[in-house]
Amino acid sequence: MKAFAVLAHPERESFNGALFDVAADVFSGGGHEFVSSDLYRMQFDPVSDRRNFTSVKDPQYFKQQIEELHASENSTFRSDIAEEMEKLFWCDLLILQFPLWWFSMPAIMKGWVDRVFAMGRVYGSGKWYDQGVFSGKRAVLSLTTGGGSGSYAEDGLHGDLSQILYPINHGILRFVGFDVLPPFVAWSPVRISPEQRQDYLDSYRRFLTGIDKVEPIAYPALAEFDETFRRKSLV
Ligand SMILES: Cc1cc2nc3c(=O)[nH]c(=O)nc-3n(C[C@H](O)[C@H](O)[C@H](O)COP(=O)(O)OP(=O)(O)OC[C@H]3O[C@@H](n4cnc5c(N)ncnc54)[C@H](O)[C@@H]3O)c2cc1C
């Protein structure tokens, strides 16, 4: 398997860093291949604007998706974006490793998505969801939380984690075609014992080792929607 892991944590010695190291170890041998993007250490620029491109179609008025289409046709994405795109197209498995920040991914990772998941190259012209550019590839979130598992249960204070992650799992990863696997969650690593943290690292290793057998989250197919994109069976 060709695995691509993206890490978004400002501290390399963090528990997120330790989980990232497990992924690197699992996929760096045994017939697998591994590439990564450690966004903070790369000092990845998360700000999306006309600097995404080495030349622009309209210097007067910036319209990102128009410029993305133009750059897709003319190979004029800035090199930091083009390099990340290459890794996405190369991999069979994308792993996003991050701490839950404000019920989402850290801004540096959202900026990576904003800049790298470009119209023309990564989606567009009817290429989305199960017809998406990355159809046949797998993606998984590996995240840590501050709150405990109970607080993210359906009846928990914060609400169901699967709904909190829906904008990432469905709105980003499934949108561009990935089969999205259920997330690996290390609940509240700050508040547990060293032994419990080691248990998480061990169970993450087992999870990744068997990842080819994990069933993706079931999302409806495009064919299940009518021409106004409403579910045929429900209208
Ligand atoms: C801006 C911001 C917003 C946030 N929003 C939310 C939110 O919306 N919801 C929520 O639930 N939480 C939230 N949090 C909390 C955050 O999710 C947690 O603090 C984070 O997930 C903990 O993971 P970490 O990698 O930072 O842990 P760390 O603090 O880095 O690590 C935890 C412990 O693991 C130890 N450790 C590191 N490596 C190893 C190893 N190899 N083996 C064993 N132990 C190791 C560390 O030494 C440390 O003691 C937020 C935090 C911030 C800063």
Side-chain angles (χ1 to χ4, degrees):
M1 191 175 289
K2 293 191 267 192
F4 172 27
V6 184
L7 171 64
H9 198 292
E11 171 55 62
R12 185 62 185 84
E13 299 303 314
S14 65
F15 197 65
N16 273 266
L19 289 162
F20 177 81
D21 288 341
V22 170
D25 194 45
V26 167
F27 293 112
S28 292
H32 301 298
E33 293 172 74
F34 183 76
V35 299
S36 64
S37 292
D38 179 353
L39 299 178
Y40 278 95
R41 262 57 61 187
M42 291 161 69
Q43 298 191 308
F44 185 82
D45 178 0
V47 178
S48 192
D49 60 20
R50 66 175 72 243
R51 291 169 305 143
N52 292 358
F53 313 101
T54 55
S55 69
V56 288
K57 187 176 183 186
D58 184 348
Q60 308 303 324
Y61 187 94
F62 179 67
K63 188 91 174 93
Q64 180 162 328
Q65 288 172 313
I66 300 291
E67 296 298 345
E68 287 175 346
L69 288 172
H70 180 70
S72 298
E73 285 159 14
N74 298 284
S75 301
T76 47
F77 287 105
R78 212 171 80 179
S79 61
D80 60 340
I81 293 176
E83 284 163 20
E84 295 306 301
M85 287 174 171
E86 286 308 309
K87 295 179 201 173
L88 279 175
F89 280 91
W90 171 85
C91 75
D92 308 313
L93 171 69
L94 172 67
I95 302 168
L96 299 185
Q97 178 67 57
F98 60 94
L100 192 67
W101 278 10
W102 294 113
F103 284 26
S104 189
M105 49 175 55
I108 197 169
M109 184 173 266
K110 176 58 164 48
W112 177 83
V113 173
D114 289 346
R115 296 182 68 224
V116 177
F117 285 37
M119 185 181 239
R121 192 80 207 282
V122 169
Y123 71 95
S125 302
K127 290 184 180 159
W128 57 346
Y129 294 113
D130 51 303
Q131 307 293 323
V133 167
F134 297 127
S135 168
K137 297 176 185 283
R138 308 183 125 213
V140 66
L141 307 182
S142 171
L143 64 143
T144 61
T145 65
S149 60
S151 65
Y152 287 101
E154 269 179 57
D155 61 351
L157 174 66
H158 302 316
D160 186 352
L161 186 72
S162 64
Q163 289 194 19
I164 290 169
L165 297 179
Y166 184 82
I168 303 174
N169 276 337
H170 188 263
I172 298 172
L173 298 172
R174 186 62 181 157
F175 186 87
V176 298
F178 284 104
D179 286 330
V180 184
L181 308 182
F184 181 88
V185 186
W187 301 103
S188 202
V190 177
R191 291 190 186 81
I192 58 178
S193 67
E195 292 73 26
Q196 287 171 312
R197 284 198 285 269
Q198 188 57 50
D199 285 347
Y200 269 132
L201 297 175
D202 293 343
S203 66
Y204 187 48
R205 180 176 293 277
R206 286 193 298 276
F207 173 78
L208 291 178
T209 303
I211 202 157
D212 52 330
K213 292 172 200 73
V214 175
E215 278 296 312
I217 300 169
Y219 292 121
L222 275 174
E224 294 175 52
F225 295 84
D226 68 14
E227 62 285 354
T228 65
F229 301 114
R230 300 196 64 195
R231 282 289 277 281
K232 289 175 188 166
S233 56
L234 302 179
V235 179

